[in-house]
Amino acid sequence: MNRLKKLNKRKFIFAITLLILFFIALFLLFKKDNDLNEAIHDEKYDLIINYNKTDVKKVDNPVKKYIRVNKRAFLNNIKNKEKDTKYNLLINVNTKKYDDFYFVHASNYQYLGGAHYNRDDYGFTYNTKTNKYIDITHFFKDKDSFEKLFIVAKNNLEKYAKKEGIVLDNEIVKDGLHPNLENYKYFYFDDNGLSILLLPLQVASWSDGEILITLPWEDINTLLKSEYQNKNVTKEKEILVPKTRDIEKLQNKKVIAFTFDDGPNKKTTEYLINEVEKMDARVTFFVLGSRISYNEDTIKKAFINGNEIGSHTYSHRNLVKLTDDEVKDEINKTNHIIESVIGVEPKLLRAPYGSINDKIVSYSNMSIINWSIDSNDWRLKNRDLIKKEILNYAADGKVVLVHDIYEESVHGAILAMKELEKQGYEFVTISEMAQLKEQTLETGVIYREF
Ligand code: ZN
């Protein structure tokens, strides 16, 4: 009896000890996690870690490890440093959940003295349904669809840049948005669409910081696997892929930008597009918003061939004679219509009659493109005279004004181009011209030639 009591007592003590150990372990575990989230303002350094647990081990564990490793490294780094400056560690962990997925991005800023911060980024995407780490291509139909992401991302980045007044460099954007895993490492889906985090220097300058662009569902739905498409999206944007060309080969050539106003006009514009294509040339169309709805295919074709589409306002009224609201309407309505057809908002504006003032220039938020050679086509009405007029003034960097609604004008322009081709000229869009002449097309600036 006594023995049994003793045994029970022992068992009891053993159980209690186990229980206590369990709680200590739990406490330590909890404390450890809590320790990860902290703000220390020491004499020598500031240390801030912002982190939220998810309770999914495969999401939490790598993040915890990342935090510990970087914190340790930081404290080691400053251990033997003088107290002459305040050192700094900031780790921000951003975790989003959508559907079955966790999207994790952590950034780690360290200031260890000197002129610059060090920045380091880390992240991953986790599928809770399959318990696997995945990358962005997982959501896309196929390679072709993933490649089209470039176009959608570029359009949305350009819109963002315009709003924020950021000047983009075409070549940097091309590299920074090129469809590969490195460029699209940090992203998430939510009710607004697909958001992509672009790190400093990825597409803009260091001072522009990180850029978050959100590609709306209507832009990306068709690119995604059907199970990831947003079923609530009613209209889906068609994604047109313009032909690209390497303009490096034009670097040392004489170049002219032909620009065509007042169209599109089905018969004459399409004829022009085909002739331009045969010459491997590119031109710019300044279209009227009011003429687009019944010429959508013509504009699409011009755009796909690599030509540039600019705005010539909605109804060709003299802007300086309109009220502010009317001017804004003329510009905004046209931009909206052009975007709805080709997927890109125009960046270039040519005011009707070239008539514009400083106020309109500034709130158009576009680059204003005038001209340096007037073909006088509307007055001459004869292809040979128009050709002669253009050839008289042709020179490297010039911008030629023609109207593609008249048959004689289109023929005159083509005849001039064929003659100039023999003289070694190449024909480029306004954007290509600016790039070749190492100029950045800025908004609120008037250009006549390059
Ligand atoms: Zn016009």
Side-chain angles (χ1 to χ4, degrees):
M1 191 67 189
N2 227 355
R3 248 192 73 179
L4 200 67
K5 235 184 183 172
K6 221 175 187 173
L7 196 69
N8 269 344
K9 201 177 164 191
R10 239 185 241 163
K11 263 191 191 164
F12 178 72
I13 291 171
F14 183 66
I16 289 287
T17 314
L18 265 186
L19 208 66
I20 290 171
L21 281 175
F22 174 73
F23 276 112
I24 290 175
L26 208 67
F27 173 74
L28 284 176
L29 208 72
F30 181 71
K31 193 170 170 280
K32 208 170 179 185
D33 279 353
N34 258 5
D35 275 348
L36 291 180
N37 215 340
E38 62 189 339
I40 299 174
H41 300 283
D42 188 74
E43 247 183 34
K44 194 172 176 184
Y45 64 89
D46 283 339
L47 185 154
I48 296 171
I49 295 168
N50 297 319
Y51 162 64
N52 279 315
K53 273 180 62 185
T54 65
D55 292 322
V56 177
K57 267 193 179 161
K58 285 206 165 174
V59 176
D60 289 340
N61 288 348
V63 176
K64 286 188 213 160
K65 191 177 165 198
Y66 178 78
I67 292 173
R68 283 197 203 103
V69 166
N70 280 290
K71 186 180 157 185
R72 209 180 302 141
F74 171 73
L75 293 173
N76 265 334
N77 273 327
I78 62 165
K79 201 158 62 188
N80 299 319
K81 282 190 188 266
E82 297 295 323
K83 232 192 274 175
D84 55 358
T85 180
K86 192 115 181 199
Y87 305 103
N88 208 319
L89 173 72
L90 171 63
I91 298 179
N92 263 323
V93 184
N94 210 333
T95 305
K96 307 254 183 203
K97 186 170 192 298
Y98 186 76
D99 214 359
D100 297 318
F101 302 94
Y102 277 100
F103 305 92
V104 179
H105 169 246
S107 56
N108 154 27
Y109 302 85
Q110 298 201 10
Y111 179 69
L112 300 168
H116 294 288
Y117 265 87
N118 298 319
R119 176 177 170 143
D120 173 63
D121 290 83
Y122 169 74
F124 56 86
T125 305
Y126 184 70
N127 185 346
T128 56
K129 214 169 168 183
T130 59
N131 295 322
K132 279 191 175 127
Y133 297 102
I134 51 162
D135 62 58
I136 193 167
T137 57
H138 173 85
F139 299 90
F140 284 77
K141 261 186 208 155
D142 48 31
K143 197 165 171 278
D144 191 48
S145 298
F146 181 57
E147 271 164 14
K148 281 187 180 163
L149 175 62
F150 168 76
I151 293 180
V152 180
K154 185 166 174 272
N155 293 345
N156 282 284
L157 173 64
E158 282 172 353
K159 254 193 236 174
Y160 175 95
K162 190 175 165 188
K163 215 171 80 198
E164 300 293 322
I166 295 173
V167 181
L168 295 172
D169 179 297
N170 252 333
E171 290 302 304
I172 296 172
V173 169
K174 223 162 98 188
D175 284 346
L177 294 182
H178 184 79
N180 58 41
L181 295 183
E182 200 51 44
N183 284 339
Y184 296 90
K185 200 167 173 185
Y186 309 114
F187 66 95
Y188 60 86
F189 287 91
D190 64 14
D191 291 342
N192 299 319
L194 168 62
S195 292
I196 295 160
L197 181 74
L198 307 166
L199 299 179
L201 291 177
Q202 185 173 342
V203 293
S205 68
W206 179 261
S207 60
D208 293 319
E210 58 175 45
I211 292 173
L212 183 74
I213 51 170
T214 300
L215 319 181
W217 281 106
E218 59 173 77
D219 284 22
I220 52 163
N221 228 22
T222 54
L223 304 179
L224 303 176
K225 285 176 187 159
S226 66
E227 66 261 41
Y228 300 130
Q229 290 180 359
N230 188 330
K231 305 290 184 263
N232 302 324
V233 172
T234 46
K235 73 171 197 238
E236 282 167 350
K237 226 186 262 171
E238 186 185 2
I239 298 161
L240 301 180
V241 184
K243 216 181 275 176
T244 53
R245 64 168 172 175
D246 185 13
I247 63 165
E248 286 289 303
K249 62 179 187 210
L250 308 180
Q251 207 63 257
N252 299 312
K253 300 260 179 120
K254 294 181 286 184
V255 285
I256 291 185
F258 274 78
T259 62
F260 295 89
D261 288 14
D262 295 5
N265 178 47
K266 194 161 180 54
K267 193 177 162 216
T268 48
T269 307
E270 292 220 358
Y271 177 77
L272 173 64
I273 294 169
N274 290 334
E275 290 300 310
V276 164
E277 177 68 7
K278 280 185 213 158
M279 281 187 265
D280 193 27
R282 301 282 193 275
V283 299
T284 303
F285 293 95
F286 288 103
V287 299
L288 287 173
S290 56
R291 299 185 60 94
I292 293 175
S293 65
Y294 47 97
N295 287 301
E296 283 191 8
D297 289 342
T298 309
I299 291 202
K300 283 183 187 172
K301 189 173 174 189
F303 178 70
I304 288 170
N305 280 3
N307 300 295
E308 189 157 22
I309 310 294
S311 163
H312 196 37
T313 74
Y314 189 78
S315 51
H316 211 279
R317 296 161 78 190
N318 189 340
L319 294 182
V320 299
K321 294 187 174 159
L322 303 181
T323 66
D324 290 0
D325 283 344
E326 285 172 322
V327 172
K328 281 176 188 163
D329 193 51
E330 283 283 324
I331 295 172
N332 295 339
K333 203 153 90 186
T334 307
N335 288 354
H336 186 75
I337 295 173
I338 292 175
E339 189 193 1
S340 73
V341 176
I342 61 169
V344 198
E345 235 186 67
K347 286 173 281 202
L348 312 178
L349 172 68
R350 174 166 288 162
Y353 320 103
S355 162
I356 199 153
N357 59 31
D358 288 349
K359 198 171 76 179
I360 301 171
V361 168
S362 92
Y363 67 51
S364 74
N365 206 10
M366 298 169 80
S367 304
I368 313 297
I369 311 297
N370 283 348
W371 56 89
S372 46
I373 300 178
D374 187 343
S375 68
N376 278 308
D377 57 332
W378 57 275
R379 187 170 54 81
L380 296 170
K381 295 188 179 79
N382 172 294
R383 62 187 73 180
D384 292 315
L385 294 176
I386 295 167
K387 167 191 162 188
K388 211 174 137 204
E389 188 80 3
I390 296 170
L391 293 178
N392 271 344
Y393 299 98
D396 183 35
K398 296 276 180 189
V399 176
V400 185
L401 166 66
V402 194
H403 298 84
D404 56 322
I405 46 169
Y406 307 119
E407 217 169 294
E408 287 304 303
S409 302
V410 166
H411 284 289
I414 293 166
L415 288 172
M417 286 167 94
K418 286 192 168 149
E419 182 57 40
L420 291 165
E421 203 178 23
K422 287 181 207 155
Q423 299 173 21
Y425 280 96
E426 297 277 350
F427 309 105
V428 294
T429 66
I430 295 292
S431 288
E432 285 176 330
M433 172 79 95
Q435 208 179 323
L436 285 165
K437 300 297 179 192
E438 286 172 1
Q439 290 189 38
T440 315
L441 284 172
E442 288 182 51
T443 56
V445 177
I446 301 177
Y447 300 84
R448 293 178 58 245
E449 58 186 25
F450 293 84

